[in-house]
Amino acid sequence: MLFHRRWWVTYLLIYLLADQSESCSHTFNMMINFKVNRKLLVQEDVKFGLTSELFNTLKRGTTLVEYSSPNIAKKFHAGHLRSTIIGNFIANLKQSLGNNVIRMNYLGDWGMQFGLLGAGFGQFGCQEKLKQNPLQHLFEVYVQVNKEAEHNEDMKQAARDFFRQLEQHESEAVSLWQQFREITVDEYQHIYKRLGVHFDIYSGESFHQDQAQEVVQQLQSQGLLKTSEKGTGVVDLSPAGDMSSVCTVLRSDGTTLYITRDLAAAIDRKAKYHFDEMIYVTDKSQENHFHQLFHILLAMGHSWADRCKHVPFGLVRGMKTRSGEVVFLEDVLDEARARMLHNMSQSKTTKEMDNTEDTAEKVGISALIVQDFKGPLLSDYTFDWDRMLQAQGDTGVFLQYTHARLCRSVLAQGDLFKWMLSQLAGGVSIFALCDLYSYDEVLYQSAQDLQPKHLVNFLLKLCHLIASAHRELPVKGSSQVVAQVGRLIVQSVNPYHTRH
Ligand code: ARG
């Protein structure tokens, strides 16, 4: 009889349990007789787990994932970091499962902050500083201008004027805005690279300024636009149609809002990229925003809005660096590296290496990611440098440590295939293998609810198994399990392994 590998393992487990536990052998009054093709069980498989028949029913197609989406000149907060790594996980997962994935960053690159920046740059800005450290300098200028505008009416007026010039596409204003934007994107690209994250498209709110006005006209012609008592343009979302719940899409001065631009952006993306599904990744405070967005799109007759999804996540408390509150993503990454370097220098087991900084960076970032991915996305959690960087326990450090150890044993010992076969029928290795073969189920679960916790907890569990295998089996013996596990870990969480 030919069984799928996953079933063999299940049967083998029954067999082993029945065989090893005298006391419960009487409960097995049925004899299962089968042969295990051990060779097949441990054979290498490049697309390990991904070719499982479990995935046959999954819909494939084009998936647009929008994530990260920071706001130019404003603070990059923990929510943006979460969106970046969670969105990247979802994009990698979808891609692994055979979807055509479009990775999009939707920058907050429009709005009054540019009025303020544009108006204030002449006074507080410096081209040299802008080139050297763009994110920091733009933020400094932004903070200074805001302070000034608090008590200086002229500054406020100048900001309004600058933004109006932008909205009217006046070339001088536009070219300054463009410079701010380009410089910011360059800088971000650099930092995303450290996280193993990339985007196919850098879009942004600015792209949909004009289209947003068209959306308002469409809403009007469809009879969906109402005028509120305050003179704003609203869409009635109440089931009874009594305006008890409305969404504002137009200010009384005729300018559009965040949601109006999102409506335009969604329609534009559908027309350009023909996605089969679109996923937005932001913190849970925007749940209502996306609920309203999908609702209005459906009301406008865009039935594909049913295939748009918001993946919300909880808040992170206390993300601080030694110098205080986090303003820039780079600071968090630098701090992770510095703390890891320190821990490595303190640890007696740290080996001599040439690329200490690079190792500290990779391990530190893994720690950051694993801390974030362990629990359900919707839960809030408290950021804790010490806990997340522990070498023991369920951390990214432990995961990378196991991975490194596996790589070393595989490389150092070459082919121990035969030995593995002889050991297979008993001991820890079989349990490690059993677990390994539930990889497709784990991926399937993640594909269903888009939660990274299934995969991360699976890997952490495997690492514990491997640790006991290393303890209990002769060192040489773990080779094949090791090879599979090593590949798995590399394929799954290691942020430096992105497939383009
Ligand atoms: N820039 C926004 C913010 O920082 C997030 C954008 C989310 N995406 C969207 N399509 N609205 O809050």
Side-chain angles (χ1 to χ4, degrees), residues 3 69 93 129 161 229 232 292 296 313 378 389 416 453 473:
F3 288 115
S69 308
L93 177 72
K129 282 189 189 165
D161 289 345
E229 281 169 13
T232 55
Q292 295 186 334
I296 299 175
F313 53 80
L378 259 182
L389 289 169
L416 286 172
K453 66 173 183 195
L473 295 175

Side-chain angles (χ1 to χ4, degrees), residues 66-72 75 77 80 83 106-109 205 258 261-262 265 269 280-283 285-286 289-290 293:
E66 188 222 276
Y67 55 107
S68 196
S69 308
N71 303 317
I72 293 180
K75 245 174 36 182
H77 51 72
H80 292 124
S83 171
Y106 182 71
L107 297 173
D109 60 357
E205 293 184 45
Y258 179 52
R261 293 190 280 277
D262 254 328
R269 288 176 198 174
Y280 295 91
V281 188
T282 79
D283 72 65
S285 71
Q286 300 206 29
H289 167 81
F290 286 103
L293 174 66

